[in-house]
Short mmCIF file of all heavy atoms in Angstrom, two decimals:
data_model
loop_
_atom_site.label_atom_id
_atom_site.label_comp_id
_atom_site.label_asym_id
_atom_site.label_seq_id
_atom_site.Cartn_x
_atom_site.Cartn_y
_atom_site.Cartn_z
N THR A 48 1.20 -2.33 16.81
CA THR A 48 1.08 -3.78 16.52
C THR A 48 1.55 -4.07 15.11
O THR A 48 0.77 -4.54 14.31
CB THR A 48 -0.33 -4.25 16.75
OG1 THR A 48 -1.20 -3.46 15.95
CG2 THR A 48 -0.77 -4.15 18.21
N ILE A 49 2.80 -3.86 14.85
CA ILE A 49 3.35 -4.14 13.53
C ILE A 49 4.20 -5.42 13.61
O ILE A 49 4.90 -5.59 14.54
CB ILE A 49 4.14 -2.98 12.97
CG1 ILE A 49 4.55 -3.21 11.50
CG2 ILE A 49 5.36 -2.67 13.83
CD1 ILE A 49 5.09 -1.96 10.81
N GLN A 50 3.97 -6.34 12.69
CA GLN A 50 4.67 -7.60 12.69
C GLN A 50 5.28 -7.82 11.30
O GLN A 50 4.57 -7.78 10.30
CB GLN A 50 3.70 -8.75 12.96
CG GLN A 50 4.29 -10.10 12.88
CD GLN A 50 5.34 -10.40 13.92
OE1 GLN A 50 5.07 -10.16 15.08
NE2 GLN A 50 6.48 -10.88 13.54
N PHE A 51 6.62 -7.98 11.23
CA PHE A 51 7.29 -8.27 10.00
C PHE A 51 7.42 -9.75 9.79
O PHE A 51 7.61 -10.47 10.75
CB PHE A 51 8.64 -7.58 9.98
CG PHE A 51 8.58 -6.07 9.84
CD1 PHE A 51 8.58 -5.33 10.99
CD2 PHE A 51 8.51 -5.46 8.65
CE1 PHE A 51 8.49 -3.92 10.92
CE2 PHE A 51 8.41 -4.10 8.50
CZ PHE A 51 8.41 -3.31 9.64
N TYR A 52 7.37 -10.21 8.56
CA TYR A 52 7.45 -11.61 8.21
C TYR A 52 8.60 -11.77 7.12
O TYR A 52 8.82 -10.90 6.38
CB TYR A 52 6.16 -12.14 7.62
CG TYR A 52 4.98 -11.94 8.50
CD1 TYR A 52 4.09 -10.85 8.28
CD2 TYR A 52 4.72 -12.85 9.56
CE1 TYR A 52 3.00 -10.67 9.12
CE2 TYR A 52 3.60 -12.62 10.38
CZ TYR A 52 2.75 -11.54 10.17
OH TYR A 52 1.71 -11.38 10.97
N ASP A 53 9.18 -12.92 7.22
CA ASP A 53 10.24 -13.26 6.22
C ASP A 53 9.52 -13.76 4.98
O ASP A 53 8.96 -14.88 5.00
CB ASP A 53 11.20 -14.33 6.81
CG ASP A 53 12.30 -14.66 5.82
OD1 ASP A 53 12.40 -14.00 4.74
OD2 ASP A 53 13.10 -15.53 6.18
N SER A 54 9.57 -13.00 3.93
CA SER A 54 8.93 -13.41 2.68
C SER A 54 9.80 -14.42 1.93
O SER A 54 9.29 -15.08 0.98
CB SER A 54 8.71 -12.19 1.77
OG SER A 54 9.92 -11.66 1.29
N GLY A 55 11.04 -14.57 2.32
CA GLY A 55 11.92 -15.40 1.61
C GLY A 55 12.47 -14.84 0.30
O GLY A 55 13.22 -15.49 -0.40
N ILE A 56 12.11 -13.62 0.07
CA ILE A 56 12.55 -12.92 -1.19
C ILE A 56 13.11 -11.55 -0.76
O ILE A 56 12.44 -10.77 -0.07
CB ILE A 56 11.36 -12.70 -2.16
CG1 ILE A 56 10.76 -14.09 -2.47
CG2 ILE A 56 11.83 -12.02 -3.43
CD1 ILE A 56 9.39 -13.97 -3.12
N ASN A 57 14.37 -11.32 -1.16
CA ASN A 57 15.03 -10.06 -0.72
C ASN A 57 14.29 -8.79 -1.11
O ASN A 57 14.30 -7.81 -0.38
CB ASN A 57 16.44 -9.98 -1.31
CG ASN A 57 17.43 -10.91 -0.57
OD1 ASN A 57 17.15 -11.34 0.59
ND2 ASN A 57 18.47 -11.26 -1.26
N ASP A 58 13.61 -8.75 -2.24
CA ASP A 58 12.97 -7.56 -2.71
C ASP A 58 11.49 -7.45 -2.35
O ASP A 58 10.77 -6.67 -2.92
CB ASP A 58 13.14 -7.47 -4.24
CG ASP A 58 14.55 -7.08 -4.60
OD1 ASP A 58 15.27 -6.43 -3.81
OD2 ASP A 58 14.95 -7.46 -5.73
N VAL A 59 11.04 -8.30 -1.38
CA VAL A 59 9.65 -8.24 -0.97
C VAL A 59 9.55 -7.95 0.48
O VAL A 59 10.11 -8.68 1.32
CB VAL A 59 8.94 -9.57 -1.34
CG1 VAL A 59 7.53 -9.55 -0.72
CG2 VAL A 59 8.89 -9.77 -2.78
N LEU A 60 8.86 -6.85 0.85
CA LEU A 60 8.57 -6.54 2.26
C LEU A 60 7.19 -7.08 2.58
O LEU A 60 6.23 -6.78 1.86
CB LEU A 60 8.62 -4.99 2.40
CG LEU A 60 8.26 -4.46 3.79
CD1 LEU A 60 9.28 -4.94 4.82
CD2 LEU A 60 8.24 -2.96 3.78
N LEU A 61 7.11 -7.78 3.69
CA LEU A 61 5.85 -8.42 4.09
C LEU A 61 5.62 -8.08 5.56
O LEU A 61 6.44 -8.44 6.42
CB LEU A 61 5.92 -9.90 3.84
CG LEU A 61 4.64 -10.71 4.03
CD1 LEU A 61 3.58 -10.32 3.07
CD2 LEU A 61 4.95 -12.18 3.87
N TYR A 62 4.55 -7.40 5.87
CA TYR A 62 4.27 -7.07 7.25
C TYR A 62 2.80 -6.89 7.50
O TYR A 62 2.01 -6.75 6.53
CB TYR A 62 5.04 -5.87 7.74
CG TYR A 62 4.57 -4.55 7.16
CD1 TYR A 62 3.66 -3.71 7.83
CD2 TYR A 62 5.01 -4.09 5.90
CE1 TYR A 62 3.21 -2.52 7.32
CE2 TYR A 62 4.54 -2.88 5.37
CZ TYR A 62 3.69 -2.09 6.10
OH TYR A 62 3.26 -0.89 5.55
N SER A 63 2.40 -6.95 8.76
CA SER A 63 0.94 -6.77 9.09
C SER A 63 0.83 -5.76 10.24
O SER A 63 1.82 -5.59 11.01
CB SER A 63 0.31 -8.08 9.50
OG SER A 63 0.85 -8.57 10.70
N THR A 64 -0.30 -5.15 10.30
CA THR A 64 -0.69 -4.29 11.40
C THR A 64 -2.06 -4.67 11.82
O THR A 64 -2.82 -5.25 11.01
CB THR A 64 -0.64 -2.81 11.02
OG1 THR A 64 -1.58 -2.59 9.96
CG2 THR A 64 0.73 -2.35 10.59
N HIS A 65 -2.38 -4.50 13.08
CA HIS A 65 -3.76 -4.84 13.50
C HIS A 65 -4.20 -3.99 14.64
O HIS A 65 -3.44 -3.42 15.39
CB HIS A 65 -3.91 -6.33 13.80
CG HIS A 65 -3.24 -6.77 15.07
ND1 HIS A 65 -1.93 -7.13 15.14
CD2 HIS A 65 -3.72 -6.85 16.34
CE1 HIS A 65 -1.65 -7.43 16.38
NE2 HIS A 65 -2.68 -7.28 17.12
#
Side-chain angles (χ1 to χ4, degrees):
T48 55
I49 188 166
Q50 174 68 49
F51 289 92
Y52 304 99
D53 182 4
S54 68
I56 304 165
N57 286 339
D58 288 332
V59 174
L60 176 63
L61 188 63
Y62 71 96
S63 67
T64 60
H65 72 273

